[in-house]
Amino acid sequence: MTAAPTADTAPHQDFEVRPFDAPVGAEIVGLDIGRPINEADFRRIHRAHLDHHVLVFRDQQITPDQHIAFSRRFGPLEIHVLHQFHLEGHPEILIVSNIKKADGEPLGLGDAGAYWHSDISYKPHPSLGSLLHAQELPSEGGDTLFADQHLAWEGLSPGMQQRILPLKAEHSYLAKYEELRAKNPWRPKLSQAQIDKVAPAVQPVVRTHPETGRKALFVSEHFTTRIVGLPQEESDALLAELFAHSVKPEYVYRHLWAPHDLVFWDNRSLMHLAAGTPDELRRKLYRTTIEGDLPF
Ligand code: OGA
Ligand code: MN
């Protein structure tokens, strides 16, 4: 029996990085994530991720274990607080799906990304990036939008930049939870143990990407509740202005899913949004989420 090649000795994979005709994003063409990836190839993928912020790997027929193993190359993985939607035997995978099981119970988180957000910004250490792998796609709808928050920061007036640079904001997983549960009663009621895991976190309104040094706007409609130290009315007005600015069409790439797509985005650079799927059409994706640093 011959041993599988290790990451260091794996043969080179001859892939290309093709930037999209969009403000952000690139396709990686010619890479098979199911095969071992050597260090030099891995470094090119890492570089492309930093340069383009969202990478699309088409037609990746990989298993959950391969999805997890590739994700782990970038860091330890988060275990999502909604344990109800972990893939059985693989708590590193969150099932994102609108499908209901035979007993009527939801298979996964059906309304993930209903508002613009960056994954896990509600924890002191938000996520570095997430990898979503298509399992079952609807015949229409179900797109995912990505907005470049470096461009959003750079697009602010110097006066606004100066005003918000020193500010901090509170992020809370619970901010929209009850509103979503009212719309989607299948959403589980959170246990006290789950609520304890998602205490609000305070984050800089403008963060610096720890690997590139670029600044990015870091507030979201989904999780940001208030600017620390401002009267509520002023905080609401400022956040509304920033939310509207941060997702202007000139900062956005819209991903149209194809079978077996794997999409890997940088939560430190981007926000994302699920455009929505008609209820009667089935959609299922698997998500891994990489742990990140303390924002500064
Ligand atoms: C997510 C998410 C969006 C989508 O899985 O983190 O926001 O389009 N998903 O499913
Ligand atoms: Mn998300």
Side-chain angles (χ1 to χ4, degrees):
M1 199 177 93
T2 45
T6 67
D8 287 332
T9 60
H12 164 63
Q13 294 199 47
D14 200 13
F15 63 89
E16 224 185 286
V17 180
R18 278 192 209 153
F20 292 133
D21 183 18
V24 61
E27 184 178 340
I28 303 289
V29 183
L31 182 85
D32 180 352
I33 289 185
R35 284 171 46 202
I37 296 170
N38 71 29
E39 275 308 314
D41 288 348
F42 177 75
R43 278 197 300 275
R44 272 187 74 209
I45 300 166
H46 181 202
R47 187 67 249 167
H49 192 246
L50 295 176
D51 291 342
H52 302 287
H53 316 309
V54 51
L55 300 180
V56 174
F57 308 82
R58 299 277 187 196
D59 197 27
Q60 298 296 320
Q61 310 215 10
I62 52 172
T63 63
D65 282 323
Q66 289 171 325
H67 178 176
I68 290 168
F70 179 64
S71 305
R72 281 214 173 105
R73 297 277 296 262
F74 297 88
L77 303 185
E78 286 276 344
I79 305 296
H80 198 274
V81 64
L82 288 181
H83 56 77
Q84 290 91 339
F85 302 140
H86 293 169
L87 180 64
E88 199 175 342
H90 295 90
E92 304 86 352
I93 288 183
L94 176 74
I95 305 176
V96 172
S97 180
N98 63 354
I99 298 171
K100 303 290 176 287
K101 293 186 267 194
D103 61 3
E105 289 300 310
L107 185 70
L109 185 57
D111 57 359
Y115 299 94
W116 283 100
H117 66 287
S118 168
D119 290 333
I120 325 287
S121 75
Y122 51 83
K123 283 197 183 171
H125 289 76
S127 162
L128 178 158
S130 308
L131 297 95
L132 206 49
H133 187 224
Q135 304 293 316
E136 193 174 337
L137 296 171
S139 51
E140 59 175 278
D143 302 348
T144 308
L145 281 67
F146 296 91
D148 187 328
Q149 297 308 291
H150 299 301
L151 294 179
W153 160 254
E154 288 156 15
L156 290 169
S157 69
M160 181 58 103
Q161 286 186 336
Q162 208 177 8
R163 177 176 173 207
I164 67 171
L165 195 55
L167 298 179
K168 293 190 186 306
E170 184 185 81
H171 292 232
S172 172
Y173 184 67
L174 304 180
K176 293 255 193 274
Y177 200 90
E178 288 310 318
E179 189 177 310
L180 286 168
R181 221 162 78 81
K183 272 190 230 166
N184 303 305
W186 52 261
R187 257 200 185 242
K189 192 168 165 53
L190 296 175
S191 67
Q192 192 56 46
Q194 285 174 311
I195 292 171
D196 292 345
K197 279 190 190 151
V198 292
V202 170
Q203 307 290 8
V205 167
V206 182
R207 72 178 294 186
T208 303
H209 194 290
E211 296 185 82
T212 64
R214 288 182 72 192
K215 287 189 171 58
L217 205 50
F218 196 58
V219 288
S220 77
E221 192 187 13
H222 196 154
F223 298 128
T224 310
T225 50
R226 64 187 179 93
I227 306 276
V228 176
L230 287 192
Q232 190 67 45
E233 228 170 273
E234 199 180 330
S235 168
D236 288 348
L238 179 56
L239 285 175
E241 188 176 346
L242 293 176
F243 294 163
H245 170 82
S246 61
V247 297
K248 285 187 179 161
E250 60 262 40
Y251 310 143
V252 172
Y253 160 66
R254 184 181 192 108
H255 185 66
L256 277 59
W257 291 89
H260 311 293
D261 275 357
L262 177 73
V263 175
F264 175 25
W265 65 89
D266 192 331
N267 281 309
R268 304 162 300 184
S269 299
L270 305 180
M271 287 205 289
H272 58 284
L273 174 76
T277 304
D279 282 342
E280 67 281 9
L281 300 179
R282 293 160 63 96
R283 182 177 189 264
K284 181 170 81 164
L285 305 99
Y286 288 167
R287 182 181 112 189
T288 52
T289 316
I290 304 159
E291 288 178 9
D293 305 322
L294 205 60
F296 58 90

